[in-house]
Amino acid sequence: MKLNQLLCSLMVCLLPLVGKGQTLAKISLDDVVPSKFAYPISIDLNSITELPDSLLTLVIIGEGQPYEIPFQLDNLNGRKLTWMVKPIEGRTSYTYELRKTENKRVGEQFFSLDLSEKALVIKKEGLDLWQYNQGLAMPPEGVAPAYARSGFVHPMRTPEGLSLTRIQPSDHYHHYGLWNPWTRVGYKNDTIDFWNLNDKQGTVRFANFVNKTSGPVYADYKVLHEHVVLKDREVPEVAFTEVQGVRIFAEKEDDSYYLADISIVLNTNPEDSVVLQEYRYGSLGWRATELWNRYNSEVITSEGLDRKSADGSLARWCIVQGELGEDYGAVVMMSFPANFNHPEPLRIWPEDIYDRGDMYANFAPTKNKDWVLDSGKAYQLNYRFLVSSKKIGPEEAEEAWKHFAQSPITIEKF
């Protein structure tokens, strides 16, 4: 998604009129890692033109006639133009032209958002893929109300609509699908647990939507979360905040997978630092579907480890996948190289947990060391989930991770 995530070359130059419309920029991607999965690329549009996107067309150049491809503009932080690079067998370089046009065709918008009081659902052509829950979810009847919380993802679905997450299981009522608390946090000369809700030390709550968009390339949202101290407080106190963003990419022509880019920005108060203390789990947790157990699912890490040996190991990526009745689900969790403590330690539940071997997985950056967040500063973590309805092999996972984590590109202007 960002300029420092691609192993390619970007050349921007002013050119004369060529074909349909005026060519404003030529964009070249070289030495592209072959892959079966498409991936997003973004460029800074302001460095090329101040024209509005309504006057722009993006075409791919190659064998045969150039043809238009959809793009989407992000105006939240500057102007970022984003499109999907669709792999072509045997090709390791791609050339695009950004053109000014008077007859732009409206791109087909196959993503949509469905917002209610309780949740925001991202859909692809009407099928639910991803649900963010901003409403307060109460625990089952008879369970302590302290287990209630807001601000979590459930269901995270396969491209065919099957859930890959689970909330409020009887063994851990504080597990909420895909969620992001921290277990041991040093704050104001005390240690606060934001993870184990029934201890009533702290919680995480939804505060507001920052933005939400949909279009022909992606759908996304950003939300503000507050990490709230309850311990010894008559009035809950916000220790630090988090802006969590999710952007879903997919191909219209391929219904077997999609990408979920997850960004987590932690912001401390101007007066108080925070220490995310060493602990065996914390950060972006994933309680997987109850359909998975040690007999029908597996873990494969970037270092070639399986579920028996993955816990506590360091990894760039981790595959978690298995049978869903007669169907299948797979997720490649990817860590961005700039993340704290990358390659990151993994927290993977052992195979014999609760006899069945229920699945829990996450990158736990503070599993083996403290992370000091100085006062008045922001710290970011970036992850990509490749979610598939088909089994994924290690080679495919490695190729997908390289597209996520590539080195800076160069921009040459004329």
Side-chain angles (χ1 to χ4, degrees), residues 101-369:
T101 180
E102 302 295 337
N103 301 304
K104 179 182 177 180
R105 292 180 295 180
V106 178
E108 185 174 0
Q109 183 168 316
F110 62 91
F111 279 116
S112 62
L113 301 176
D114 185 4
L115 179 64
S116 67
E117 291 184 1
K118 290 290 187 179
L120 174 68
V121 180
I122 295 178
K123 299 171 177 282
K124 178 189 175 185
E125 297 186 312
L127 180 66
D128 293 3
L129 291 183
W130 189 278
Q131 179 170 316
Y132 172 79
N133 300 274
Q134 76 272 15
L136 185 66
M138 298 303 296
E141 186 176 354
V143 177
Y147 283 112
R149 76 155 281 174
S150 59
F152 60 93
V153 174
H154 173 74
M156 172 177 70
R157 299 183 184 274
T158 69
E160 295 185 352
L162 302 176
S163 178
L164 292 168
T165 50
R166 183 183 186 187
I167 67 168
Q168 302 173 338
S170 58
D171 51 75
H172 288 77
Y173 287 115
H174 57 276
H175 281 194
Y176 276 89
L178 197 66
W179 81 118
N180 189 50
W182 299 86
T183 315
R184 296 289 184 269
V185 178
Y187 178 69
K188 289 188 174 180
N189 299 315
D190 200 356
T191 299
I192 307 298
D193 185 346
F194 295 93
W195 187 285
N196 296 290
L197 298 176
N198 201 39
D199 291 344
K200 302 178 183 178
Q201 295 187 19
T203 189
V204 181
R205 65 190 183 192
F206 165 81
N208 208 345
F209 280 101
V210 178
N211 80 302
K212 42 191 180 294
T213 60
S214 61
V217 178
Y218 60 80
D220 69 357
Y221 63 86
K222 284 187 177 180
V223 290
L224 177 65
H225 289 168
E226 295 174 334
H227 295 247
V228 182
V229 180
L230 306 174
K231 182 181 178 182
D232 300 329
R233 265 74 165 178
E234 292 185 5
V235 178
E237 178 183 353
V238 177
F240 60 102
T241 61
E242 165 199 339
V243 176
Q244 186 178 116
V246 173
R247 181 169 286 183
I248 305 293
F249 300 91
E251 286 190 85
K252 180 175 175 57
E253 300 82 7
D254 192 337
D255 293 327
S256 67
Y257 72 97
Y258 65 89
L259 303 177
D261 281 4
I262 304 168
S263 63
I264 297 167
V265 180
L266 304 174
N267 297 272
T268 56
N269 297 326
E271 303 84 10
D272 303 298
S273 62
V274 169
V275 180
L276 306 178
Q277 297 173 358
E278 178 182 340
Y279 198 72
R280 67 179 182 273
Y281 55 84
S283 188
L284 187 63
W286 171 26
R287 181 63 187 265
T289 169
E290 62 270 24
L291 297 180
W292 282 350
N293 56 56
R294 68 172 180 261
Y295 304 109
N296 66 2
S297 62
E298 66 174 345
V299 169
I300 306 171
T301 79
S302 57
E303 309 311 302
L305 303 180
D306 60 14
R307 187 172 180 181
K308 289 181 171 58
S309 52
D311 186 49
S313 68
L314 307 182
R316 304 184 306 279
W317 53 259
C318 179
I319 304 171
V320 183
Q321 60 187 354
E323 299 171 2
L324 299 170
E326 296 181 355
D327 295 295
Y328 203 83
V331 175
V332 185
M333 309 188 308
M334 309 180 211
S335 167
F336 189 65
N339 285 359
F340 174 77
N341 208 14
H342 176 91
E344 294 185 52
L346 288 167
R347 173 57 175 158
I348 305 292
W349 270 1
E351 287 187 313
D352 59 354
I353 194 164
Y354 305 124
D355 297 326
R356 283 175 16 103
D358 287 9
M359 183 67 76
Y360 171 90
N362 81 289
F363 284 114
T366 56
K367 190 178 180 73
N368 58 7
K369 64 191 298 186

